[in-house]
Amino acid sequence: MKLTTSGLAVLGLATISNAHMLLAHPPPYPDQNLSNGPLAADGSDFPCKSSSYTGGTTTTLTPGSSQPLDFTGTAVHGGGSCQISITYDAVPNKQSTWKVLHSYISGCPAEGTNENVGNDASKPRPFNYPFEIDERLPAGKATLAWSWINKIGNREFYMNCAPVEVGGSSSDQAYLNSLPNMFVANIQMPTGFPGTTVEGTDVIFPNPGEYVTYGNQGTLKKDYNKAADPPADVIRQLPPAHQLLKSPRLRHHLLLLFQQHLRALVAEVAVVPPRLVQLAL
């Protein structure tokens, strides 16, 4: 799992209905420009707000690259948690499988503010959230989805979609199939109602995938955050410690922290075992 950092923002109730967020990059299918609000609670416009999946600018995703994720709008609903997912279905439908490429746990789609950032649905957000295109992703035309579960306000589920084409020549489906499915809550699904998230808390995805950005300025709660009467697959929790320790980047940070404490110990203690001195260097 690859860890980075992000942040937080809050929304005034007066702006909930008239200045939502809209995906700006990758450019969404053009018919979505007419609506930047949440999906219907009955799930009738899932996925992608019932896009026609025609027109628009196709973004090329180069394997091994980092892509920018940008938004317009100021009703950030206190931030929340987002995911970037992909399907290779030519025309996505309610039965399509969406595989998660990157998860943002807390601080998405705004950071560094505890106040509403305005009431202008067309204003570009000053933040972007890079997401990784793994080299193992198969080549081909696809639809990319940005999904968002807001922290403050009505319990909602947002989803904008964009036409993309993954570059390269790989046809191996193994990596794609190994990715977790997109997390959905607060709307009716063909298989039933998945559960309602808790207002005022950031959703902690049960399986965020390999590429994860943790935000909210380091205030992410480490206790469980559960939906109201959720089925087992809707319980949100931090990944187990043994999964977190599989991350080379996290292990590196832990080693640096360990070395810092050892250096402090060497400076304060007169006699230190030689092995500890070696580890501290």
Side-chain angles (χ1 to χ4, degrees):
M1 187 177 293
K2 296 170 176 59
L3 306 179
T4 54
T5 58
S6 185
L8 171 71
V10 173
L11 169 74
L13 293 178
T15 67
I16 287 179
S17 63
N18 59 359
H20 294 295
M21 305 297 293
L22 181 70
L23 179 66
H25 190 276
Y29 289 103
D31 53 351
Q32 289 188 337
N33 291 333
L34 301 176
S35 175
N36 56 6
L39 271 64
D42 62 5
S44 58
D45 56 357
F46 178 88
C48 306
K49 300 186 72 65
S50 296
S51 172
S52 62
Y53 305 105
T54 58
T57 301
T58 298
T59 300
T60 298
L61 305 178
T62 302
S65 69
S66 180
Q67 297 289 325
L69 176 65
D70 299 321
F71 312 99
T72 57
T74 55
V76 294
H77 291 235
S81 297
C82 306
Q83 288 187 312
I84 295 295
S85 307
I86 195 170
T87 182
Y88 285 80
D89 289 352
V91 179
N93 55 60
K94 294 186 187 301
Q95 282 70 45
S96 293
T97 299
W98 298 86
K99 291 296 188 177
V100 176
L101 303 182
H102 198 121
S103 291
Y104 306 87
I105 298 179
S106 181
C108 179
E111 58 185 63
T113 176
N114 291 319
E115 299 178 348
N116 184 23
V117 293
N119 189 23
D120 185 351
S122 63
K123 183 178 181 180
R125 295 295 302 121
F127 314 108
N128 68 77
Y129 297 78
F131 62 96
E132 309 302 317
I133 304 302
D134 196 279
E135 294 178 346
R136 294 165 289 179
L137 204 62
K141 293 183 178 180
T143 293
L144 193 81
W146 162 64
S147 57
W148 168 37
I149 299 177
N150 55 304
K151 182 176 181 179
I152 303 298
N154 297 331
R155 300 296 77 212
E156 297 169 333
F157 184 81
Y158 293 77
M159 187 179 186
N160 288 168
C161 297
V164 299
E165 183 167 3
V166 180
S169 58
S170 174
S171 59
D172 189 353
Q173 301 290 312
Y175 173 70
L176 178 68
N177 294 334
S178 72
L179 298 176
N181 292 338
M182 180 179 68
F183 184 87
V184 179
N186 303 326
I187 62 171
Q188 188 69 30
M189 295 291 288
T191 55
F193 187 71
T196 303
T197 57
V198 180
E199 185 183 11
T201 62
D202 295 302
V203 170
I204 302 174
F205 301 116
N207 189 353
E210 181 179 3
Y211 295 93
V212 183
T213 297
Y214 286 109
N216 207 16
Q217 300 177 315
T219 62
L220 179 64
K221 295 182 179 179
K222 290 184 171 58
D223 56 338
Y224 291 160
N225 170 18
K226 301 180 180 180
D229 301 319
D233 62 342
V234 179
I235 295 178
R236 298 139 180 85
Q237 64 184 50
L238 284 171
H242 72 276
Q243 291 185 8
L244 288 173
L245 290 176
K246 291 180 180 179
S247 165
R249 185 175 299 180
L250 179 59
R251 292 200 302 269
H252 175 69
H253 288 315
L254 289 175
L255 177 59
L256 290 179
L257 183 62
F258 178 61
Q259 289 176 328
Q260 289 175 359
H261 283 288
L262 282 178
R263 291 190 187 103
L265 179 63
V266 169
E268 294 177 3
V269 179
V271 179
V272 181
R275 178 56 179 163
L276 288 183
V277 175
Q278 180 182 5
L279 288 173
L281 298 178

